[in-house]
Amino acid sequence: MRLALTALSDRQADLSSAAGAVLFYGTYDMAGTPSLRNSSAEALIMHGPSALQNLMRLTSGMDDAQRRSPSLSPLCCDLAGLPAANFVVGELDPVLDDSLLMYDKWQNANHNATLLIVPEGPHGMNRLPTRMASKINDFG
């Protein structure tokens, strides 16, 4: 589940023409962040326990240390030198911690990240046919 930007950076690609990235509610730790591991079956849109099981299926035969390899988990990559990033995540999203942790790491490495936490927003909130979704998509 690598981010294209981290994969390109590892290959020492020239990223100077990339203006930035808008990253919506990503899964950045393939071992599962605390919000995903503790999410309830009552979460809107994304069933948290099933999402965690799916991560485990995708990385079957691996332990958490292997799942957190930089080749799989962007949260474990060196983010230095990456272009600006806007992180957008809903307050009720089971992968909320992924965006919070990734934003902190990106900001510490590059000082060019922003974070929008959508109040009461579930996973995928920008894909819903609502005015809120339109405003979120305009932000990106």
Side-chain angles (χ1 to χ4, degrees):
M1 183 92 187
R2 294 276 314 260
L3 281 174
L5 286 173
T6 59
L8 289 169
S9 178
D10 285 350
R11 292 187 179 106
Q12 298 179 338
D14 179 11
L15 298 175
S16 62
S17 64
V22 179
L23 303 167
F24 286 93
Y25 43 81
T27 301
Y28 303 119
D29 179 351
M30 293 301 283
T33 56
S35 63
L36 181 60
R37 288 179 175 265
N38 297 322
S39 65
S40 100
E42 305 302 315
L44 297 172
I45 303 190
M46 176 193 270
H47 184 266
S50 294
L52 182 60
Q53 287 176 344
N54 289 334
L55 278 184
M56 299 304 115
R57 279 191 210 119
L58 284 171
T59 55
S60 128
M62 295 181 177
D63 62 21
D64 284 352
Q66 292 168 313
R67 289 179 176 107
R68 288 192 173 111
S69 161
S71 64
L72 291 177
S73 292
L75 189 57
C76 301
C77 291
D78 177 7
L79 303 178
L82 293 179
N86 291 335
F87 292 89
V88 182
V89 65
E91 176 183 36
L92 303 177
D93 196 324
V95 294
L96 172 64
D97 285 348
D98 289 76
S99 290
L100 296 176
L101 294 167
M102 193 66 163
Y103 161 77
D104 283 341
K105 186 169 180 176
W106 200 294
Q107 183 67 2
N108 287 331
N110 302 296
H111 309 288
N112 62 357
T114 59
L115 173 66
L116 173 63
I117 301 172
V118 179
E120 299 182 24
H123 186 77
M125 72 271 166
N126 69 311
R127 309 273 308 179
L128 301 173
T130 64
R131 285 188 309 203
M132 179 178 69
S134 295
K135 289 181 180 191
I136 293 165
N137 291 329
D138 287 345
F139 173 79

